[in-house]
Amino acid sequence: MLSMKRFSTINPLGILFFCLSLFFLSTNPLQAEENALRISMFPANIQYNPLRTYTSVEAQIYTAIYEGLVVPDPLTLRPIPGVASRWEANEDATEYRFYLRSNARYSDGQQITAEDAVNTFIAHLNPEQPSSFSGFLDIVKGARDYRNGRGAKEDVGIHSGDHNSIVFELTHPAPYFLDLLTHQSMVLIHPDMLASGDWDSLESILGNGPFILESADETGLKLIKNEYYWDKNRVSPEQILIEFNADVAAVTEQFNKGEIFWAKGNFAYGSVISTDYVKVTPVFSTNFFFFNNRQEAFQDPNIRRGLALLIPWQEIRHEDAYFSPSNQLIPEIPMYPAVKGILEQDIAKGLRLLAEAGHPMGRNLPPITFRVPEGTENAALAIAFSQALITAAPELNVSIEELTDQEDYYSRLREDDYTIGSITWIGDYLDPLTFLMLFISDSGINESAYINPEFDALIEASHRQNGKERYETLGRAESLLLTEGTAWPIHHTVAFHLVNTREIDGWFPTGLDLHPFKYIRKIDFLPGPGVTMKNPNEFDQTVSYEYTRRHEIIPKR
């Protein structure tokens, strides 16, 4: 998926910075309170409907305004209690029961019920308009058939139970099921919001997270603390002010002056007051190109592979250009096999494959159109790819279409009027399936329209396996994508953040580049040795807690 001061001792310079900060707060249209958490990120169009969410920016925003049955731990991203205070599974892990908190409420004070939770998950599967990530629920009995119009809603294995609980009946054990439920799309939705057909016309967003969206426009967002949130005493900032700003020089200056505490990628590294604040984190993510299989000519794997072999991969995937160049779609995971894709250019073999498919030197192939976001690294790569293809096969007709609007770009990946698109995909959870789901034939996120029964069969087989055996099967599925030339991996990505760790705490580098807002707070004090909480009863007693960095409190696993 495409993604986005220091005051040590009192001195005249510090006083000057302080005055500048006051001036900023008094003139900024997003008026800040003293305890506001101020953040800057690249401009983005936010989709507030969880059934239609897609981007990593939305994933970050959703940690403030929504919450699911389980939530990601701020350090490990593993599932911890959210709206559900606890859960249990049967002996073979094919049935899960989640018990909802009695004090879990929406931002308007309405209590969250098991029926609300059931209706939210069923809405994902609506066969008339399934959600983008409806395929996540295919492991639930009857879910896949229902969302594809082959089954009945009553046969879906999601229902309410006693003691305000929700029950999931799975088709097979799924070790990633709880991780899947931490995804941004799996949050619970207010009944009134769920019933609305047009979220853009709504005057306010009713959520259930630690913050409420008070205002939003093209300049940024203002979030205020949700007083109905079940764990409100853990939430430190009274406000979160998010500024959208593409001027990296201006953002860096704001950070250096102490006017913002966190810049999410939109800063100038060379101008930062101290590189200690720069956080560079490897992400479970891959930037890659893919073929649009809606175009009949390019459904032939020999043509896709033939064209891929014309590209000088050894020059494209170079360590001088990327932190982690790769010929693999899935980033490194312990026990997952090292799948080899197309490693280098082989023009002779590529032209032979094209000729065998009836297109010597690319003759009579339909025009090849690269669709990429304007001004990005992938736009530059599209130029390099085009030049390589035309040089090796002069009879090819190659063009590049650059789209200026990011939101429009995503929607237009589902059209049939382009040949090769590109995307940077951040894993939804730490498992190979989160990448391979992009190519399952009936997946809601199969932008490439790839259909391969052999690939689908491998994915199905993996559902009945565990550990290394499962990984080897998924590795064979990935190998199909790479050797056929369906996906062209370029590199695994890293995230760049500018974080004032002297002023805020609870921000941790994570493999999915997700930083739950609930745990981020301004540092007011540093408790000394032996200091304990004055009133531990303010916090949820269904989870055990421990002190970690400074005064941050996070659940013990």
Side-chain angles (χ1 to χ4, degrees):
M1 258 176 311
L2 297 166
S3 346
M4 229 175 52
K5 141 142 189 198
R6 176 176 176 178
F7 303 112
S8 52
T9 58
I10 296 178
N11 54 51
L13 183 58
I15 293 173
L16 174 60
F17 282 172
F18 179 72
C19 292
L20 288 171
S21 297
L22 289 179
F23 175 76
F24 170 81
L25 295 179
S26 65
T27 58
N28 194 308
L30 296 176
Q31 291 298 315
E33 292 187 1
E34 182 179 355
N35 195 30
L37 182 66
R38 300 186 299 279
I39 300 166
S40 182
M41 60 179 64
F42 282 112
N45 295 315
I46 307 299
Q47 168 59 259
Y48 294 103
N49 184 346
L51 300 179
R52 306 289 164 244
T53 184
Y54 195 81
T55 71
S56 57
V57 173
E58 289 162 4
Q60 182 62 50
I61 301 300
Y62 279 26
T63 68
I65 59 180
Y66 296 118
E67 188 167 275
L69 297 172
V70 294
V71 296
D73 180 285
L75 181 60
T76 67
L77 298 186
R78 296 310 307 273
I80 59 176
V83 173
S85 61
R86 62 187 177 92
W87 58 86
E88 58 192 25
N90 63 359
E91 187 174 350
D92 64 353
T94 58
E95 182 175 298
Y96 283 79
R97 182 184 297 267
F98 296 84
Y99 295 89
L100 276 61
R101 302 176 187 277
S102 60
N103 62 340
R105 299 182 180 278
Y106 296 105
S107 55
D108 63 352
Q110 181 174 324
Q111 184 172 5
I112 301 174
T113 68
E115 183 180 3
D116 295 343
V118 171
N119 290 338
T120 294
F121 289 107
I122 294 297
H124 279 278
L125 304 172
N126 181 353
E128 295 182 1
Q129 193 178 19
S131 74
S132 301
F133 294 92
S134 58
F136 276 17
L137 299 174
D138 282 355
I139 56 176
V140 174
K141 289 182 179 179
R144 190 171 194 170
D145 283 342
Y146 175 56
R147 74 176 176 85
N148 283 312
R150 301 190 299 262
K153 179 169 65 174
E154 293 73 24
D155 295 331
V156 176
I158 304 175
H159 57 86
S160 58
D162 53 9
H163 306 296
N164 201 27
S165 65
I166 176 173
V167 178
F168 293 83
E169 300 174 19
L170 309 186
T171 59
H172 55 81
Y176 52 87
F177 177 59
L178 291 174
D179 294 285
L180 179 153
L181 291 181
T182 67
H183 187 258
Q184 67 205 63
S185 67
M186 297 291 134
V187 298
L188 302 191
I189 304 176
H190 191 288
D192 292 349
M193 304 294 291
L194 200 59
S196 175
D198 181 13
W199 284 51
D200 293 335
S201 64
L202 297 175
E203 294 183 359
S204 62
I205 301 295
L206 296 174
N208 67 327
F211 296 90
I212 298 172
L213 180 65
E214 183 177 76
S215 61
D217 58 28
E218 67 279 359
T219 67
L221 313 176
K222 180 179 180 180
L223 306 166
I224 60 174
K225 187 174 179 178
N226 179 7
E227 293 301 324
Y228 287 108
Y229 181 58
W230 66 268
D231 202 16
K232 66 178 182 179
N233 292 320
R234 171 189 291 274
V235 181
S236 175
E238 295 297 324
Q239 293 184 3
I240 298 177
L241 302 178
I242 300 176
E243 176 193 46
F244 294 149
N245 195 341
D247 187 339
V248 296
V251 170
T252 308
E253 183 178 4
Q254 287 179 331
F255 182 89
N256 290 341
K257 292 178 177 180
E259 296 171 355
I260 59 175
F261 302 114
W262 171 18
K264 194 176 185 297
N266 56 336
F267 63 93
Y269 178 86
S271 301
V272 176
I273 192 171
S274 172
T275 56
D276 290 343
Y277 298 127
V278 178
K279 311 300 177 184
V280 182
T281 309
V283 179
F284 191 59
S285 172
T286 305
N287 179 36
F288 65 96
F289 284 70
F290 61 88
F291 270 93
N292 182 359
N293 287 269
R294 298 173 185 84
Q295 297 194 339
E296 184 175 355
F298 300 100
Q299 293 172 3
D300 185 340
N302 286 327
I303 292 179
R304 297 196 301 268
R305 179 172 175 79
L307 292 171
L309 286 169
L310 304 183
I311 305 298
W313 294 110
Q314 62 275 24
E315 298 175 15
I316 298 293
R317 302 181 184 124
H318 200 279
E319 292 183 354
D320 290 342
Y322 304 107
F323 280 89
S324 183
S326 180
N327 63 86
Q328 292 184 244
L329 179 66
I330 299 171
E332 184 177 348
I333 300 176
M335 295 196 304
Y336 187 77
V339 179
K340 290 185 178 181
I342 297 175
L343 301 178
E344 57 187 6
Q345 185 181 46
D346 190 336
I347 294 178
K349 186 174 181 179
L351 292 177
R352 185 172 68 251
L353 288 172
L354 292 179
E356 291 173 355
H359 302 283
M361 303 301 289
R363 186 180 309 147
N364 296 325
L365 262 180
I368 296 173
T369 300
F370 286 86
R371 177 167 289 172
V372 290
E374 184 182 45
T376 62
E377 67 173 68
N378 285 348
L381 282 170
I383 295 174
F385 289 154
S386 299
Q387 292 173 343
L389 291 174
I390 294 172
T391 300
E395 296 198 36
L396 288 173
N397 181 355
V398 185
S399 63
I400 300 172
E401 179 188 18
E402 295 190 36
L403 300 185
T404 58
D405 186 274
Q406 177 175 296
E407 187 175 19
D408 182 51
Y409 177 74
Y410 294 141
S411 64
R412 295 192 62 188
L413 287 178
R414 301 201 166 205
E415 297 176 351
D416 60 4
D417 58 345
Y418 73 98
T419 313
I420 300 175
S422 71
I423 197 169
T424 298
W425 188 258
I426 300 177
D428 301 301
Y429 47 96
L430 297 173
D431 188 270
L433 192 59
T434 189
F435 285 89
L436 299 178
M437 282 187 69
L438 292 165
F439 299 94
I440 297 174
S441 59
D442 63 350
S443 169
I445 50 177
N446 183 1
E447 312 294 4
S448 68
Y450 178 72
I451 298 177
N452 185 336
E454 182 182 0
F455 178 86
D456 290 348
L458 287 168
I459 300 299
E460 281 297 316
S462 74
H463 293 330
R464 299 182 293 275
Q465 300 169 338
N466 291 300
K468 186 176 181 180
E469 181 186 19
R470 174 175 176 266
Y471 278 178
E472 288 176 349
T473 300
L474 294 176
R476 291 198 296 274
E478 180 188 2
S479 181
L480 274 178
L481 297 174
L482 301 182
T483 56
E484 290 181 354
T486 299
W488 297 0
I490 308 299
H491 66 101
H492 304 309
T493 62
V494 295
F496 294 88
H497 295 271
L498 191 57
V499 185
N500 189 339
T501 49
R502 291 182 178 270
E503 297 289 335
I504 64 172
D505 203 358
W507 189 101
F508 302 99
T510 67
L512 301 184
D513 195 27
L514 190 66
H515 314 277
F517 279 121
K518 172 179 177 176
Y519 302 95
I520 301 176
R521 66 194 66 204
K522 292 177 64 179
I523 297 174
D524 297 320
F525 68 95
L526 301 180
V531 174
T532 58
M533 294 175 57
K534 180 178 179 181
N535 183 12
N537 292 324
E538 291 180 345
F539 291 85
D540 175 42
Q541 296 303 299
T542 65
V543 183
S544 175
Y545 297 92
E546 64 179 358
Y547 277 107
T548 59
R549 303 173 57 230
R550 300 187 177 96
H551 62 285
E552 178 67 8
I553 304 168
I554 64 173
K556 292 176 68 175
R557 298 230 30 100

